[in-house]
Every structure is written in C-alpha cells, then in structure tokens.
C-alpha cells in the first residue's frame, strides 16, 4: 500500500540541457492538497519535450521530462473531487483551472496556470514532489510523464473512459488534439479549400487529418525528412515538398502550385523561418496562417508589414483551442466510437526501459509517435 507514502520508482532525468537522459531511482512524494499522484501507463514523445531538452525554453534543470501521458490515479490529495484512485486519466500540458481570465472567457484556453511559457518546473505551491539522491528534481509542463509515478495538480489531469486503450490514448493528451483542433476548431478549414502543413510529425499529421476530415481538396505537406512522406500521403496529403530539394523558397513553390496561395497554412515545427514561410504561403486577401509550433524563447518573427493590410490572418493556437478538461474526454470517446482514428499516429511502442532507443527513433525521423509503455 502506497497511500500517503513516498514512492521510489524509475524515472528519466535530464540533469542539464542537451545532455542524455538517464533513468534513475527517484522519490515521488504523496500528493498535497489539490494534487493527484498517477501511475503512468504510457507516454508519447512530443516535439515540445525535444524543445525543452534542447534548452530552447529556459526551463529549470534537473527535470523529469514528458507531458503526453496516460495513467491511472494512485491517490489524491485533500479537496480533489474530479478524479479518484483507479480512474484512467490523461495529463494536460495546458491545464484548465476554470477560474482565471482565460478559462472564464468563452474562447480562451490558455489557462494562466500553465507552465509552458515560462517553465517554472514546480507545483502550484512553488515546490517539487520529486527528488533523486537527496536533490530536488523539477517537473516539466505541470506534468512530467517519463516516470513510473508522477504528481500533477488536479487542474492538469482529466478522467477518461474506462474502455480507453491506454497504450495509445496518451496521444489524445496533447499531439492529436493540438493538430486536429488547429484545423477543425481554430482554422475551421472549409470544404474544397487548399491547405499547407509545415512539419509532418505527430502534430502536423494530426493537422493533416483535421484538414482531410474538413473536406480540404488539396493538402500540401512540407518536411525536410522525406521518410515522413508515405505516411503523410496515406493520411491525406496530396503533394509533398522537401524545401531542401527545391530551387526556390518553399512559399514561392506553394504560391505557384495553387496560383493564388493557400486558404490555410499551418506551422507545426516551432521555428521562426518556417513560420514566416507559412505566412507567405497564404492567399494575400483571405488566407489564414495558424502557428501551432512552439518557437524558442526570445526569438522574433519578422514579417513584411505592408503585406498585412490585404486581409490575411495570423493566428496562434495551442492545444487545438480546446478547453482541455471540458473537451479532451470527448475526443477519447470519439476515438472509441470510431469517429476519429489516432492509430496511424502510433507508429512505434517501446518499454520505458528502452527510452534511449525510443529517443533515437524520434531523432531519426522514422516515427510519427513512439509511445513509451510503463
Ligand atoms: N522544415 C520542414 N520541416 C522540418 C524542419 C524544417 N526546417 N525542421 C524540422 N522539420 C520537421 C521534422 O522533420 C519533423 O517531421 O518537423 C517535424 C516535427 O515533428 P515532431 O518532432 O514529431 O514534433 P511534433 O510533436 O509534431 O511537434 C511539432 O508543434 O506543439 C508544437 O512544440 C511542438 O513545436 C512543436 C511542433
Ligand atoms: Zn485557467
């Protein structure tokens, strides 16, 4: 029985930025008031974890990375009422406190209790629940999923259907809704429209699925890794472009292919140059450019100012514009009812002990998502 006790288990620790993860024995304290301790079952490896590990987000190290997690509630702290021990849950990189300005706004979903911009790495009370050999270890993105047990605030966890296949639904914690929602919810892609998607990883692939489901007639996929192309085509991409093999800037090629520029452009990489290319791929009058990727801190986007007046829209979107605790459980149910299919995004699954192999696969670009199984 672990109730009320510190749990010792295995977790991946990034001791510093740009240093290999090491699997260590860690101590995980019991949840405090308003917190939930979760036994992880699976976790995806998402582009945002990669940004954080590379030091692009100014996070506090050492930390336990990962946020795209699915697990089972082990215990809850005082006052927790939305989940109970035994519940299947997803961890949420964007929480929903239901009290802040953004949560109370009809459309806002960027809860002010989020810990992405900036990353403090501590719980809401300013402390951490993790330690290793007596040293404090930081959390990441309010979640930390590369660990057998984690503690998260109640606002960053949501109960899902008991029938959910836990080896896959971790993708519905972040990557799938981030991409799919950007297309169907935020851009509201229209039937017959033309789209371009920069980046064909987990998030970009989900954007493609959203564009396809919305009836887009042409979906151009852009990636520097051509291994991504066959799977992207299977999901609905009609034309694949590798910017490294083009003689002109990719935005010029997209403009030529469509004659007038696309209706909807999505950036799912997280770099300023590809954000500018997405913006410049849009139709100048009615095009909409959605920024889905997370750019490194302290970078700036430079756009030709006179090109804004003509009517195009630049829009940022996080987690598909979904208010997470309200909307994520329904996406799991939609998956169980075959209304959406996340299976093509789960290209690999490996035990947590093979984390290094999983990261190698991620960096090789052979995966869409490699799911870690605990
Ligand atoms: N041009 C085109 N494609 C690129 C470039 C580039 N300069 N650089 C990287 N890519 C491609 C990679 O080859 C990969 O296929 O972008 C894709 C990124 O995919 P993942 O690493 O799987 O990342 P993902 O989880 O999809 O996240 C993408 O969305 O939410 C954000 O923080 C997240 O910024 C990240 C982005
Ligand atoms: Zn909030």
């Amino acid at each position: 029985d672990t109730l009320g006790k510190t749990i010792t288990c295995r977790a991946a620790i990034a001791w510093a930025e740009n240093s290999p993860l090491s699997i260590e024995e860690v101590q995980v304290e019991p949840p405090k008031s308003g917190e939930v301790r979760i036994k992880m079952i699976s976790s995806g490896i998402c582009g945002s974890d990669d940004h954080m590990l590379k030091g692009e987000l100014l996070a506090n190290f050492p930390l336990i990375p990962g946020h795209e997690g699915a697990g089972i509630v082990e215990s809850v702290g005082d006052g927790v009422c939305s989940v109970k021990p035994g519940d299947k849950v997803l961890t949420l990189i964007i929480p929903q406190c239901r009290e802040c300005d953004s949560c109370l706004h009809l459309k806002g979903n960027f809860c002010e209790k989020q810990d992405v911009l900036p990353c403090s790495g501590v719980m809401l009370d300013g402390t951490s629940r993790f330690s290793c050999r007596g040293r404090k270890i930081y959390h990441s993105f309010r979640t930390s999923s590369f660990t057998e047990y984690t503690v998260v605030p109640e606002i960053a966890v949501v109960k899902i259907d008991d029938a959910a296949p836990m080896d896959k639904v971790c993708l519905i914690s972040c990557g799938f809704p981030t991409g799919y929602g950007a297309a169907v919810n935020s851009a509201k892609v229209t039937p017959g429209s033309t789209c371009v998607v920069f980046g064909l990883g987990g998030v970009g692939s989900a954007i493609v699925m959203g564009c396809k489901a919305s009836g887009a007639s042409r979906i151009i996929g852009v990636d520097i890794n051509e291994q991504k192309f066959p799977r992207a085509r299977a999901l609905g991409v009609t034309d694949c472009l590798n910017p490294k093999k083009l003689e002109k800037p990719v935005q010029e090629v997209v403009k030529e292919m469509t004659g007038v520029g696309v209706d909807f452009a999505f950036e799912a990489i997280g770099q300023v140059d590809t954000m500018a290319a997405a913006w410049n791929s849009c139709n100048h009058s009615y095009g909409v450019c959605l920024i889905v990727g997370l750019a490194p801190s302290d970078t700036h986007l430079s756009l030709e100012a006179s090109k804004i007046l003509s009517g195009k829209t630049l829009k940022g979107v996080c987690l598909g514009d979904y208010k997470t605790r309200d909307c994520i459980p329904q996406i799991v149910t939609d998956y169980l009812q075959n209304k959406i299919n996340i299976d093509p995004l789960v290209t690999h699954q490996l035990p947590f002990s093979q984390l290094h192999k999983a990261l190698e696969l991620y960096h090789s670009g052979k995966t869409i998502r490699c799911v870690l199984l605990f």
Side-chain angles (χ1 to χ4, degrees):
D1 188 22
T2 50
L3 199 70
K5 293 177 190 153
T6 293
I7 293 176
T8 297
C9 66
R10 290 178 314 155
I13 297 182
W15 289 100
E17 61 187 53
N18 281 312
S19 79
L21 294 181
S22 61
I23 294 187
E24 309 262 3
E25 274 211 333
V26 298
Q27 278 69 48
V28 184
E29 288 171 27
K32 291 190 182 174
S33 169
E35 299 176 0
V36 180
R37 189 159 61 181
I38 301 168
K39 182 183 195 314
M40 296 310 307
I41 304 293
S42 69
S43 175
I45 300 173
C46 172
S48 307
D49 301 321
D50 189 50
H51 293 320
M52 174 175 256
L53 294 170
K54 281 183 182 152
E56 291 177 357
L57 302 176
L58 302 175
N60 289 312
F61 288 82
L63 59 81
I64 296 178
H67 62 278
E68 203 171 76
I72 292 175
V73 175
E74 176 268 340
S75 62
V76 300
D78 288 344
V80 170
C81 50
S82 63
V83 297
K84 59 179 189 310
D87 282 352
K88 287 185 174 177
V89 293
L90 297 180
T91 59
L92 302 170
I93 185 170
I94 302 296
Q96 186 187 354
C97 75
R98 301 186 168 132
E99 289 172 352
C100 73
D101 171 65
S102 178
C103 284
L104 292 174
H105 188 271
L106 186 66
K107 287 186 169 175
N109 80 325
F110 196 67
C111 175
E112 283 160 25
K113 301 271 167 60
Q114 56 78 30
D115 201 42
V116 182
L117 302 170
C119 310
S120 71
V122 287
M123 298 295 286
L124 295 167
D125 72 351
T127 63
S128 158
R129 299 292 161 271
F130 297 124
S131 57
C132 176
R133 298 195 291 269
R135 192 166 164 191
K136 162 176 163 172
I137 307 296
Y138 287 97
H139 298 247
S140 71
F141 301 139
R142 294 256 174 273
T143 46
S144 286
S145 59
F146 294 1
T147 171
E148 291 173 318
Y149 286 86
T150 192
V151 179
V152 305
E154 181 182 14
I155 60 168
V157 61
V158 70
K159 176 177 158 53
I160 55 168
D161 198 304
D162 282 329
M166 296 300 277
D167 62 336
K168 290 187 187 142
V169 288
C170 55
L171 268 62
I172 298 178
S173 136
C174 176
F176 179 78
T178 293
Y180 195 81
V184 305
N185 224 7
S186 186
K188 295 194 168 58
V189 166
T190 47
S193 61
T194 55
C195 302
V196 63
V197 181
F198 286 78
L200 298 171
V203 173
S205 299
I207 294 172
V208 169
M209 292 168 85
C211 294
K212 171 94 178 167
S214 303
S217 61
R218 195 161 187 197
I219 306 171
I220 303 167
V222 180
D223 204 297
I224 50 173
N225 184 339
E226 295 190 12
Q227 293 178 91
K228 305 281 177 172
F229 293 166
R231 289 197 193 100
R233 283 205 173 87
L235 293 176
V237 165
T238 53
D239 311 79
C240 292
L241 296 177
N242 177 356
K244 288 192 165 166
K245 294 219 178 132
L246 300 172
E247 276 161 19
K248 300 176 192 168
V250 61
Q251 62 271 23
E252 285 178 29
V253 175
V254 173
K255 282 239 162 136
E256 279 175 17
M257 286 168 75
T258 53
V260 291
V262 294
D263 296 296
F264 301 98
F266 298 86
E267 201 274 0
I269 300 164
Q271 293 175 14
V272 288
D273 54 340
T274 43
M275 289 178 184
W279 168 252
N280 290 315
S281 299
C282 286
N283 179 275
H284 69 122
S285 169
Y286 48 76
V288 182
C289 176
L290 281 288
I291 304 298
V292 187
L294 178 57
S297 13
D298 274 327
T299 53
H300 295 263
L301 194 53
S302 167
L303 308 172
E304 196 180 330
S306 68
K307 296 277 168 67
I308 297 176
L309 176 104
S310 52
K312 61 206 273 204
T313 304
L314 181 65
K315 194 177 181 323
V317 51
C318 83
L319 235 144
D321 263 354
Y322 295 109
K323 285 182 185 284
T324 51
R325 286 204 285 162
D326 291 347
C327 302
I328 297 278
Q330 184 60 45
I331 301 175
V332 173
T333 305
D334 286 351
Y335 169 55
L336 291 172
Q337 296 176 349
N338 295 315
K339 291 178 188 163
I340 51 164
N341 184 14
I342 62 166
D343 296 352
L345 305 183
V346 184
T347 55
H348 299 73
Q349 293 178 311
L350 282 175
F352 179 54
S353 57
Q354 291 190 46
L355 174 68
H356 290 103
K357 189 169 173 206
L359 288 168
E360 230 174 81
L361 275 167
Y362 169 81
H363 289 296
S364 76
K366 290 192 179 82
T367 65
I368 298 292
R369 274 289 193 268
C370 178
V371 170
L372 300 168
L373 300 173
F374 292 85

